[in-house]
Amino acid sequence: MAAHPQADLMHDYAYPLPMGVLCELLGVPLPDRDVFHHWVEARMSNDPARIMQSAPALLAYLRQLVDGKREAPGEDLLTDLVHASDEEGSLTPQELVSTTFLLLVAGHETTVNLIGNGTLALLQHPRQLDALRTDRSLMPAAIEELLRYEGPVNTASLRYTTEPVEIGGVLIPAHQAVAVALTSANRDDLQFPDPTRLDITRATTGHIAFGHGIHYCVGARLARMEAEIAFSALLDRFPDTRLACEADALSWHGTMFRGLRALPVHLTRAQP
Ligand code: HEM
């Protein structure tokens, strides 16, 4: 990005960073990363033709990666999962591949959108951005507020009612699938006063951007760490980042996830 005065922050920054982290985590060899990224992106697109094309290639690659870790164990999570499957029998071979796939799905687009949505929210609130720029100790609280204010995941994993449940005067019968609207709950004014206001110093306890209970996001700590690194590096390297278009012109996508298709920004490099 540093070579150009303008960038698409989604394409140039938000997408590559979490993909690099996932590749490190799973032990995807460096030369394979571009094609791997291409398959994952295609598989996660909304285009049936691209999905049909990429899914078998991605699956075959994951199987081959698993076999490779068996022959030559590495210092990575996939090696640990292979060990758990082969030695401890806690995952079937099918579960091993599907768990790897789940990590890719759950660990990529989500973090991408935290970086994208969070950056946009900060650029639209210059006073909050200034406060964060001058006092970096506000970063952890800012990330929680950005998760609450413009979270990357709209709905939790589906829940099923085992008995009739009444919520807010609405009766949900037994044996129904329930999609919990996380982004809506995070703007509940009973929990968060003046919920549509971004305030990086507010108390955010109780936000459910990472879900709740037994299926609470297993990657929450990693995601927070990635966001902290991403926002800090952006503030350090390009302290005067500005939107390069009207916010109304930005296009959003997603049903389960919520994110920007592109985020054009003007960049000014920090003086050495
Ligand atoms: C900002 C980034 C992220 C957000 C907002 C997020 C959010 C969520 C949410 C809402 C759920 C469903 C929880 C529920 O239904 O109660 C979930 C599950 C999950 N997440 Fe994340 N996630 C993020 C990053 C990650 C990362 C980096 C990884 C791994 C590398 C990851 C792995 C998972 C997995 C494996 C599950 C399924 C857990 C289960 O069903 O037990 N997530 N995440």
Side-chain angles (χ1 to χ4, degrees), residues 18-140:
M19 183 46 71
V21 171
L22 281 170
C23 286
E24 285 288 322
L25 200 67
L26 294 175
V28 175
L30 214 52
D32 296 352
R33 289 189 186 178
D34 280 347
V35 65
F36 183 72
H37 185 177
H38 170 77
W39 286 328
V40 174
E41 224 178 4
R43 175 61 187 84
M44 296 312 294
S45 72
N46 288 328
D47 177 350
R50 289 186 72 204
I51 294 175
M52 292 301 282
Q53 240 175 12
S54 59
L58 181 57
L59 213 57
Y61 182 82
L62 289 179
R63 291 211 171 97
Q64 185 195 318
L65 198 62
V66 164
D67 288 344
K69 299 292 170 194
R70 239 172 226 132
E71 279 161 31
E75 299 264 309
D76 49 62
L77 179 65
L78 192 54
T79 300
D80 289 348
L81 288 173
V82 168
H83 183 84
S85 174
D86 292 2
E87 311 296 324
E88 296 158 16
S90 43
L91 290 169
T92 66
Q94 172 63 35
E95 283 168 343
L96 179 55
V97 173
S98 48
T99 300
T100 312
F101 188 80
L102 172 66
L103 285 170
L104 283 175
V105 175
H108 188 233
E109 192 94 15
T110 46
T111 317
V112 167
N113 290 334
L114 174 56
I115 297 171
N117 299 0
T119 304
L120 174 63
L122 289 171
L123 293 179
Q124 289 179 301
H125 295 82
R127 280 203 206 133
Q128 305 276 311
L129 179 57
D130 263 353
L132 185 59
R133 195 184 284 122
T134 44
D135 181 0
R136 297 303 174 83
S137 71
L138 293 173
M139 186 62 85

Side-chain angles (χ1 to χ4, degrees), residues 18 21-22 25 77 99 102-115 147 151-159 180 182 208-224 226-227 256-257:
V21 171
L22 281 170
L25 200 67
L77 179 65
T99 300
L102 172 66
L103 285 170
L104 283 175
V105 175
H108 188 233
E109 192 94 15
T110 46
T111 317
V112 167
N113 290 334
L114 174 56
I115 297 171
L147 280 159
V153 183
N154 276 328
T155 51
S157 308
L158 283 182
R159 276 18 184 215
V180 178
L182 304 173
I208 54 170
F210 288 115
H212 180 76
I214 194 163
H215 288 288
Y216 181 84
C217 176
V218 80
R221 274 170 185 267
L222 176 61
R224 287 177 166 122
E226 287 185 63
M256 185 173 184
F257 298 142

